[in-house]
Amino acid sequence: MTTVPPPVEDPSFSLAGTREPPRRVLMKGNEAIAEAAIQAGCDAYFGYPITPQAELLEWMAKRMPEEGRAFVQAESELGAINMALGAGAAGARVLVSSSGPGVSLMAEAMSYMAGSEVPMVLINVMRGGPGLGSIGPSQSDYFQAVKGHGHGDYRVPVLAPSSLGEAMEMVATAFELAEHYRTPVIILADGIMGQAMEPVEQHYRTPPRQTASWALTGADGREPRVVRSLHLAPEELEEHNAHLQEKFRAIAEHEVRWAGERLDDADLVIVAYGTAARVARTAIARARAAGLRVGLFRPISLWPFPSAELAGVADRTRGLLVVELSAGQMVEDVRLAVAGKVPVAFEGRTGGMVPSPDEVVEALRELDATGSSRRARRVRRRPPIPVSGADHMHPHEPMAEPETGHDALSIFGDDAWMPHWYTVPVPTHPTRNGRGRGHGRNGSAERRRGDEGGTR
Amino acid sequence: MTATVPAAPRVIYQRPARLTDVSTRYCPGCGHGIIHRLVAEVLEDLGVDGRTIAVAPVGCSVFAYEYLGYDWCEAPHGRAPAVATGIRRVRPDAFVLTYQGDGDLAAIGTGEIVHAAARGELITAIFVNNGIYGMTGGQMAPTTLVGQRTTSSPTGRDVRAAGYPVPMTEMLAVLPGVAFAARGSIADPSAIGKTKAYIRKACEAQIRGEGFAVVEVLSNCPVGWGMTAQESIRYLQDVVVQTYPLGVLADRRAGAQSGAARPGTPPGTARHAENRPAGQEA
């Protein structure tokens, strides 16, 4: 079990929004999410203008001061996320929002917040990348959110709503997760969700505060508190990392969220999240009308990814089709989860384009007929570009066997000074071709044969 | 002759309560110890020890939290003014201090300090300028003097390649949000006394809600400069002050002669629970 502190109410931040009976109203995504955050007890919002999330910033600019809460339009996304770090360290419930290019700038502080265990919720209203890309909707920041952002060994929970109502509820859940586990949490939305108007029921929820036991308030009559990620002694940092890993294991165990639709009789299953899942739902209705039994598996927590659940579903199907507004990112986690048990095909559009339901139906037909998708091509490899003037390093030549035959670190030379912990002798294991360390032609050829791309 | 009765013993000098009694990691002769002490003395005098939240930089003073017994938040390199902004906006009753070096404040953190100052954030920045990146081994900083040798300007700072020293505090002083800006030094007892007075004014500006305040403190780095401690102090007195003249650079505090202060808590600051309208409590 993890060492997450028990929930403690912090009296200095105990506000609840105005309670009104649920009303069904038409709202723009960014504004509805912003208001949901306010009603969930958000104390502070920091942001910087970027399309397609700018209305979220604008809503907060008006509403947060009205509610007597903190709002700053920062000088950059660096400024915004570090203000969030400070406010979060001081125990406030903090929201930050941006889109891909801004989230890239926030990567640094995300790492610090994960390391120093500062809660915060970041909403990424994804647009097309890489670089400045486009302002159209996209899901191309999956890797960034799930595998990436800053440096170091850490994970943050990533939640993906596929409707506005779900997004509004998810903000409260994200605050709760952030404070319970003392971690940043990412909500991965996209430009369609941010810009579209949908009817929403305004039920709001204000989770209890959980920050009083550690927040910075001024050391008056108690020991000083330090919120930090610096642990200079390797032993100390390793211990801190072990604590973090224990926390990540607890999150992976307890915080898996997903939804299934029409899975009971499904031969084929679409795996999609967010806006792609909405397209998939339409495609499934059309495919079923045409006689294909198709279901939907919708991951809601992208980390932790519902791998075991998806593997269970895959056992009862003939194939999976992953649909994304990207060149194929979540599909890697799907393939890891099903571990080759069934074919995994992919259908995606990039750059702000959205796959149409008919394109998805076409991909389903292809998967049904061939166990693959038209986008899965066989890859014919040519040799890598040779390194000029460095024949001895040619990737197709075996590496020279070290003379001593047992010190894998002899690359540094016998005379090189190394700290003592670098010079532990490494025993040699005989290699298959008897010439090198598995870098020879045979090994390469085997790898090439086994890595043909596509599905099966 | 009348016998004089000795007066009751009176404390005239002692360790400030929040200055912890540990050996620091600073090199022999380093100025950080003096500046830590000045900060601790002023905050104790002003009675804000128990509500101080300080923000540590990246650089030699990254371990300031071990030497000064306040609540501390670590900031990524250069981001201390943004972190302090976040703290101040949700804890309006706190006293918020950043302690930053010249690499932190004048290079990687230029954007954060300029905009915190422009907003007139109610924070106090202690800016320790020793003209060098001490912790990483004495590389050139934006504040390194023209011609000064460092490990990354081995033949001396050449303005054709590396430009000129950045007068950060003069640049901040022109911003209307800055209530107080001054440059002091730790070169001798007289300069240290003036520096302490500047730090006091900079802290009072925050307490009275008058705006952003910064005190640049010229300090030495004997190891990074390749000098003995005494040589480094003489270099500070004779050479460094030629580029960075000492004195008050802006004073817009209420009652000061120049400019106008705008006391009060800015909008966009969280009200504390007790100040929130009735019916909003959980």
Side-chain angles (χ1 to χ4, degrees):
Chain A
M1 273 307 294
T2 182
T3 50
V4 172
V8 183
E9 186 87 18
D10 179 348
S12 66
F13 280 115
S14 55
L15 75 161
T18 315
R19 281 287 170 275
E20 289 173 9
R23 288 186 299 142
R24 200 168 159 81
V25 294
L26 194 62
M27 288 185 88
K28 189 169 194 173
N30 283 328
E31 296 171 352
I33 294 169
E35 185 59 28
I38 291 171
Q39 298 298 334
C42 177
D43 297 305
Y45 172 88
F46 307 102
Y48 183 84
I50 185 170
T51 310
Q53 66 84 53
E55 298 84 0
L56 214 160
L57 170 88
E58 291 164 358
W59 188 271
M60 289 305 210
K62 176 173 180 291
R63 291 278 294 125
M64 292 295 272
E66 278 176 8
E67 295 283 329
R69 310 194 199 172
F71 168 88
V72 181
Q73 178 175 330
E75 65 275 11
S76 67
E77 286 89 352
L78 283 173
I81 194 78
N82 284 287
M83 290 173 197
L85 195 169
R93 186 164 285 177
V94 190
L95 181 75
V96 165
S97 65
S98 189
S99 188
V103 176
S104 293
L105 281 176
M106 295 177 172
E108 174 191 58
M110 289 292 286
S111 169
Y112 278 72
M113 276 188 265
S116 53
E117 302 189 87
V118 174
M120 185 267 308
V121 175
L122 163 64
I123 299 178
N124 179 355
V125 184
M126 288 184 283
R127 56 187 260 175
L132 204 48
S134 79
I135 58 172
S138 172
Q139 295 181 324
S140 58
D141 301 345
Y142 179 94
F143 284 157
Q144 182 191 50
V146 173
K147 319 275 184 187
H149 30 94
H151 56 282
D153 274 327
Y154 75 94
R155 296 280 202 170
V156 305
V158 181
L159 302 175
S162 95
S163 72
L164 202 41
E166 189 181 31
M168 292 166 70
E169 163 58 28
M170 198 173 269
V171 179
T173 305
F175 282 135
E176 216 165 5
L177 286 177
E179 288 170 25
H180 183 73
Y181 291 103
R182 288 189 64 180
T183 178
V185 174
I186 294 176
I187 294 179
L188 210 50
D190 62 61
I192 289 182
M193 205 164 292
Q195 297 296 321
M197 297 187 82
E198 281 194 74
V200 292
E201 298 235 341
Q202 293 182 311
H203 326 253
Y204 295 119
R205 187 163 67 84
T206 311
R209 313 247 160 204
Q210 305 179 42
T211 60
S213 61
W214 55 266
L216 304 180
T217 57
D220 192 8
R222 60 155 171 76
E223 283 297 299
R225 294 171 178 172
V226 180
V227 170
R228 64 179 167 125
S229 60
L230 177 69
H231 301 274
L232 205 56
E235 299 84 354
E236 190 192 320
L237 180 57
E238 187 174 50
E239 197 179 310
H240 176 62
N241 269 315
H243 157 71
L244 293 178
Q245 292 299 323
E246 193 185 345
K247 179 166 86 176
F248 302 149
R249 274 192 293 277
I251 296 172
E253 188 177 341
H254 300 299
E255 306 301 342
V256 173
R257 290 165 164 81
W258 65 285
E261 289 173 32
R262 310 179 83 164
L263 291 173
D264 290 343
D265 65 340
D267 284 332
L268 303 175
V269 169
I270 295 180
V271 188
Y273 69 97
T275 291
R278 311 261 315 244
V279 177
R281 198 172 288 138
T282 309
I284 287 168
R286 290 184 194 173
R288 282 194 173 252
L292 287 175
R293 289 205 300 269
V294 185
L296 174 66
F297 185 97
R298 181 167 70 86
I300 297 172
S301 58
L302 301 181
W303 190 81
F305 193 75
S307 300
E309 292 76 5
L310 179 57
V313 167
D315 280 340
R316 307 193 297 270
T317 64
R318 288 194 294 109
L320 304 180
L321 173 67
V322 179
V323 180
E324 297 180 60
L325 276 61
S326 81
Q329 300 195 10
M330 182 179 72
V331 63
E332 293 191 2
D333 282 337
V334 173
R335 286 186 175 134
L336 277 172
V338 305
K341 281 193 274 195
V342 292
V344 176
F346 175 74
E347 178 67 30
R349 299 289 299 272
T350 72
M353 301 299 289
V354 180
S356 72
D358 287 340
E359 285 175 296
V360 176
V361 172
E362 189 56 35
L364 283 167
R365 284 187 205 281
E366 188 121 6
L367 175 64
D368 184 50
T370 67
S372 180
S373 79
R374 63 207 147 99
R375 286 177 191 274
R377 296 186 190 89
R378 294 176 70 82
V379 175
R380 188 179 291 276
R381 295 225 189 280
R382 61 161 176 73
I385 296 165
V387 182
S388 72
D391 291 344
H392 61 288
M393 288 177 66
H394 195 283
H396 285 273
E397 294 304 319
M399 282 178 75
E401 187 75 19
E403 294 277 324
T404 57
H406 74 273
D407 184 0
L409 297 165
S410 61
I411 184 172
F412 293 115
D414 292 339
D415 298 334
W417 179 86
M418 282 290 147
H420 64 90
W421 37 269
Y422 266 125
T423 53
V424 178
V426 180
T428 303
H429 298 288
T431 54
R432 264 170 305 185
N433 58 15
R435 291 201 299 167
R437 294 179 176 276
H439 296 280
R441 287 199 169 86
N442 295 346
S444 302
E446 277 166 21
R447 278 204 303 281
R448 279 205 298 280
R449 276 199 298 278
D451 184 14
E452 291 178 330
T455 51
R456 269 199 155 177
Chain B
M1 275 191 34
T2 55
T4 53
V5 179
R10 188 166 62 89
V11 174
I12 55 167
Y13 193 70
Q14 67 178 346
R15 174 183 286 278
R18 300 274 172 159
L19 192 63
T20 52
D21 191 6
V22 297
S23 299
T24 72
R25 298 167 197 247
Y26 298 122
C27 305
C30 172
H32 272 305
I34 295 169
I35 303 163
H36 283 6
R37 184 184 178 103
L38 294 181
V39 169
E41 286 177 356
V42 169
L43 299 196
E44 188 171 285
D45 286 353
L46 294 173
V48 296
D49 274 354
R51 57 191 177 95
T52 295
I53 304 175
V55 184
V58 172
C60 293
S61 49
V62 67
F63 290 112
Y65 56 77
E66 292 185 358
Y67 314 135
L68 293 166
Y70 311 116
D71 274 9
W72 282 89
C73 186
E74 167 195 271
H77 198 14
R79 318 290 174 228
V83 173
T85 297
I87 295 170
R88 196 65 171 74
R89 293 293 184 110
V90 301
R91 295 260 173 217
D93 294 340
F95 180 86
V96 180
L97 181 88
T98 72
Y99 190 104
Q100 303 177 257
D102 48 304
D104 198 77
L105 184 143
I108 196 167
T110 316
E112 286 74 18
I113 193 74
V114 167
H115 288 278
R119 288 190 302 265
E121 271 328 314
L122 296 177
I123 60 177
T124 303
I126 306 298
F127 167 32
V128 180
N129 180 4
N130 60 10
I132 209 161
Y133 287 87
M135 181 176 250
T136 46
Q139 292 83 15
M140 182 180 69
T143 43
T144 296
L145 304 187
V146 173
Q148 189 175 356
R149 288 186 186 186
T150 70
T151 54
S152 60
S153 57
T155 57
R157 181 175 186 163
D158 180 342
V159 297
R160 294 169 302 172
Y164 294 88
V166 178
M168 218 43 222
T169 308
E170 279 87 346
M171 288 162 58
L172 296 173
V174 301
L175 297 170
V178 175
F180 184 78
R183 181 182 291 119
S185 148
I186 52 105
D188 56 61
S190 158
I192 291 170
K194 283 182 187 162
T195 300
K196 182 177 173 181
Y198 296 153
I199 293 174
R200 190 184 174 94
K201 286 177 182 171
C203 294
E204 286 169 348
Q206 178 183 167
I207 292 166
R208 295 177 189 155
E210 291 167 329
F212 177 88
V214 58
V215 178
E216 176 176 343
V217 185
L218 297 182
S219 189
N220 60 336
C221 181
V223 174
W225 293 356
M227 297 176 187
T228 66
Q230 290 93 330
E231 285 167 355
S232 74
I233 291 292
R234 276 196 295 277
Y235 188 73
L236 195 55
Q237 285 170 323
D238 300 341
V239 182
V240 178
V241 293
Q242 304 296 320
T243 300
Y244 298 111
L246 305 180
V248 175
L249 297 163
D251 194 350
R252 299 186 184 86
R253 294 174 304 146
Q257 292 302 306
S258 64
R262 10 142 281 176
T265 299
T269 299
R271 284 194 290 269
H272 264 207
E274 58 272 21
N275 300 331
R276 289 193 181 112
Q280 292 217 347
E281 303 310 310

